[in-house]
Amino acid sequence: MTRTANKAARDLLLGMKELPEQGGGWGLLLPRGGDPAEQSPHAHGAVHGINPAYLEFVPHTSVSNRGMGVFYGLWFAIVFVLMLGSIFVRGSVDIDLNEYLISTFLVFFVLVGFPLACVIWAYRSARMPLAPPVILSRTLRKFYVWVDRKRGWMVLDYDELHPAVFRSAIVTTAGSATFFVLGLAKLVPGTRRIADQVNPAPPLFPAERPEQVWEFIRTYMDGTPDALPPIDPMPPLQDARADHARMDRLLLQDMVDEHHRLKPGVFNKIYTWFWGGVSYWTERCALWVQRTAPRPEYPPELREAMQWEGENPYRTRAPTAEEQQAWTGRLPHLRRRWLAAAAFSTLIYGSMFLIMTVGA
């Protein structure tokens, strides 16, 4: 439900035109400025890097959709070529191509247009610019968020933002879940209407977690380094050997423990096999896209502000031996679980491939 939760969170925030003046069923407002804290600071896996110049958040945009585009685009292109090509070669299409121009165009469109469209879909999914991680510059006191090629960079003044936790519930065939999103909204002056917003952390549960992430941000901006707990080390983004460890955190989240072992429960097993069968190869493609897709450069003023010298006073917990094994693809139980999921996914798509091509 992670992808669904992320999409629902974006729809929820984009659908809210105004920020209520009081908390309620929609969520709650958080303290800002010099207001007293109600929670202790904690990063909860939302922070990828921290230093005196800037805070780098963990990427949580819709990379899964890009992976689906690459995998399904190429998969459908091959299926169309083999399936429709075999029909044409066997003479199942009884058309005089020299006599009927329209029929010629239709056959050409089916045999060439469909596969070409799928290849274009896959190429665009792989090579369209990918948003860099959200950056909070402590020096400039601004958030930098890449929106798209049309809008470019959205720059939001930290001191002007209104923090809130947005609540939403989703119900799917795999079950139901309630999740909470930290949203930082810029309001139109003199109104409660939302002009822009940034969601620095992925959907979290329970509600205290996004509050604690906000207190982590507040303490980082205006407190001292020793007031912050150490952040957890993250699997490297550019190392393919860490893909299975990252898929644990992206797809399964709280269903696996800190040792990458699946927690007991029938639902956890069913959910893991369901997503493993349906999404294994699309997620591997998504992580490949995240490593290789072109990224827009940070604005010049941000690149300059990201420079700092001296020792880093902010702490990052040292990775355990088990985490290091997981990140280099050498943790036995993690390898077995995802290799089994890969085999199951290959069986599903391979069977469909044979039915659609050989059966045609």
Side-chain angles (χ1 to χ4, degrees):
M1 285 181 289
T2 303
R3 272 206 305 268
T4 308
N6 277 313
K7 183 179 184 302
R10 290 194 301 273
D11 292 344
L12 170 67
L13 294 176
L14 292 174
M16 292 191 68
K17 304 300 182 182
E18 294 188 357
L19 186 66
E21 295 185 0
Q22 294 182 343
W26 63 271
L28 69 154
L29 300 174
L30 299 180
R32 61 192 294 261
D35 295 339
E38 299 176 358
Q39 296 285 343
S40 57
H42 199 293
H44 287 300
V47 176
H48 192 271
I50 184 171
N51 59 56
Y54 65 92
L55 205 61
E56 179 184 343
F57 293 91
V58 172
H60 61 276
T61 52
S62 58
V63 182
S64 294
N65 297 334
R66 302 276 294 269
M68 290 174 63
V70 172
F71 178 77
Y72 286 122
L74 294 177
W75 191 81
F76 278 120
I78 297 172
V79 167
F80 276 132
V81 168
L82 294 180
M83 181 177 65
L84 299 176
S86 65
I87 294 174
F88 183 75
V89 170
R90 291 205 310 262
S92 298
V93 181
D94 188 14
I95 297 175
D96 186 347
L97 299 183
N98 295 320
E99 183 175 355
Y100 299 104
L101 181 62
I102 295 179
S103 299
T104 302
F105 173 79
L106 290 176
V107 170
F108 179 82
F109 178 80
V110 170
L111 294 179
V112 178
F114 281 9
L116 181 61
C118 292
V119 170
I120 293 174
W121 180 27
Y123 179 81
R124 284 177 56 84
S125 298
R127 303 309 300 167
M128 283 180 62
L130 184 66
V134 174
I135 295 292
L136 172 58
S137 170
R138 190 167 181 263
T139 306
L140 302 175
R141 298 185 71 83
K142 293 179 179 179
F143 278 95
Y144 286 79
V145 185
W146 174 262
V147 181
D148 51 39
R149 286 187 292 184
K150 183 178 180 180
R151 284 194 59 184
W153 286 98
M154 177 173 64
V155 182
L156 301 177
D157 192 321
Y158 164 81
D159 297 297
E160 295 180 354
L161 299 179
H162 294 257
V165 174
F166 296 87
R167 176 185 182 276
S168 184
I170 57 172
V171 179
T172 70
T173 55
S176 61
T178 299
F179 59 91
F180 302 88
V181 178
L182 173 62
L184 310 178
K186 176 184 178 181
L187 305 182
V188 176
T191 72
R192 302 291 296 180
R193 188 155 57 89
I194 297 175
D196 282 308
Q197 62 203 12
V198 56
N199 310 325
L204 296 169
F205 181 86
E208 290 78 14
R209 288 192 174 185
E211 291 186 69
Q212 291 170 344
V213 172
W214 171 241
E215 289 306 325
F216 188 96
I217 294 172
R218 284 217 302 170
T219 305
Y220 169 75
M221 292 299 290
D222 298 312
T224 58
D226 57 357
L228 286 176
I231 67 171
D232 290 327
M234 296 288 123
L237 300 178
Q238 298 301 321
D239 192 342
R241 297 177 300 172
D243 279 359
H244 287 159
R246 296 191 60 211
M247 287 168 68
D248 259 15
R249 301 309 178 204
L250 292 171
L251 290 180
L252 305 182
Q253 295 188 346
D254 291 337
M255 295 182 187
V256 292
D257 60 21
E258 64 273 17
H259 306 294
H260 288 281
R261 293 190 180 275
L262 194 65
K263 294 180 181 178
V266 175
F267 177 81
N268 291 351
K269 293 180 180 179
I270 294 176
Y271 184 87
T272 300
W273 279 103
F274 174 79
W275 278 119
V278 174
S279 301
Y280 178 84
W281 291 114
T282 62
E283 290 300 327
R284 288 300 298 265
C285 288
L287 296 178
W288 174 79
V289 169
Q290 197 170 56
R291 288 193 298 272
T292 62
R295 296 176 184 268
E297 290 188 356
Y298 287 118
E301 73 275 9
L302 176 59
R303 293 202 301 270
E304 182 178 352
M306 292 173 75
Q307 306 300 319
W308 58 279
E309 297 180 356
E311 185 178 352
N312 187 355
Y314 296 94
R315 297 168 293 166
T316 299
R317 176 181 60 80
T320 64
E322 200 168 42
E323 286 174 329
Q324 292 177 338
Q325 280 187 302
W327 298 350
T328 55
R330 295 184 291 110
L331 189 61
H333 59 266
L334 178 66
R335 282 174 54 87
R336 286 195 299 268
R337 172 154 47 82
W338 282 113
L339 288 177
F344 183 45
S345 184
T346 302
L347 179 63
I348 291 176
Y349 287 104
S351 300
M352 294 172 60
F353 182 86
L354 290 175
I355 291 172
M356 296 177 69
T357 55
V358 176

